[in-house]
Amino acid sequence: MPRFARWLDEAGCDFLQLLPVNEMADGQNSPYSALSAMAIDPIYIAIGDVEEFIAAGGEVSLPDADRAALGHARVAPRVAYDAIRQIKSRALRAAFERFEHSEWRTRSTRATAFLDFMERERWWLDDYTLFRALHQEYAGRYWLEWDAGLREPAARGDGARAGPSRARDSLPRLAAMDRRRAVATGAPVCHTGWRVW
């Protein structure tokens, strides 16, 4: 994105308008079918710039099947949304496990920054994390098909905040979603077109 912004500036353009980059529902590829008004879709995360992914070995550390699927996706005439989403989800999960081991357990500066992010964004993050965990628990079914006690915050009570054990699976995505940090540091976040890896 920073490189593209420099090119726009050189071309005399004052602004860039993007389609929404919010997380899309499973099986969707329209930027207008978002699950959240706040969460970025993992497909737009420049995984090659995620420190923990690099530290874990980067792209060469991916399983053979993922590297093959990635190779096919890169030459496909259209974006292979499902394949890229699955590969990136596994890569982000591995990166987050690395983060937990090397940063979280040592209470590093980056772990503290992540805690600060979670606290600052608590107004949407708590409910979103719970929603994603339940969405996964219910195999992607429409939320109105979930158990009645889970559909309404008042019916869940405070105990539901802990969510099912799969709530942890939402954290890899959340670790890379602080848009303000990405914008402030110039870190690449979004790739357009077929090069979404």
Side-chain angles (χ1 to χ4, degrees):
M1 206 51 130
R3 192 171 92 192
F4 185 59
R6 283 191 301 276
W7 177 83
L8 286 172
D9 185 52
E10 290 169 8
C13 296
D14 296 313
F15 65 92
L16 166 67
Q17 183 175 358
L18 296 174
L19 292 174
V21 293
N22 305 86
E23 185 174 10
M24 295 174 272
D26 296 337
Q28 296 292 314
N29 59 17
S30 168
Y32 299 104
S33 63
L35 291 174
S36 166
M38 303 305 296
I40 190 172
D41 196 298
I43 201 167
Y44 298 114
I45 296 171
I47 193 79
D49 294 324
V50 174
E51 291 179 41
E52 287 74 22
F53 181 69
I54 295 167
E59 200 172 309
V60 296
S61 70
L62 293 173
D64 291 343
D66 282 355
R67 286 198 319 273
L70 183 56
H72 291 295
R74 284 184 167 144
V75 297
R78 294 178 184 240
V79 176
Y81 287 96
D82 290 338
I84 296 299
R85 186 171 283 117
Q86 289 172 18
I87 295 167
K88 282 193 174 186
S89 291
R90 286 189 290 272
L92 286 168
R93 191 170 298 116
F96 190 74
E97 287 171 6
R98 177 87 178 192
F99 176 83
E100 280 186 310
H101 180 73
S102 64
E103 304 287 339
W104 191 258
R105 289 185 182 152
T106 64
R107 296 295 187 232
S108 71
T109 303
R110 293 184 66 233
T112 302
F114 186 50
L115 277 170
D116 291 346
F117 163 74
M118 290 189 296
E119 184 60 35
R120 184 178 66 247
E121 303 299 327
R122 170 171 252 134
W123 64 273
W124 70 272
L125 195 55
D126 287 349
D127 288 333
Y128 180 71
T129 304
L130 179 60
F131 167 76
R132 289 301 288 147
L134 290 169
H135 189 71
Q136 183 175 353
E137 188 77 18
Y138 281 88
R141 290 198 336 251
Y142 185 49
W143 69 274
L144 288 175
E145 297 175 10
W146 299 352
D147 292 340
L150 297 174
R151 293 192 302 249
E152 296 298 325
R156 288 194 313 257
D158 290 338
R161 285 261 178 236
S165 61
R166 292 188 185 170
R168 184 178 169 278
D169 288 345
S170 296
L171 291 176
R173 295 175 180 198
L174 300 173
M177 288 182 189
D178 188 351
R179 292 184 197 164
R180 286 189 295 247
R181 177 178 176 270
V183 170
T185 62
V189 174
C190 177
H191 292 272
T192 57
W194 58 273
R195 291 186 172 270
V196 294
W197 178 254

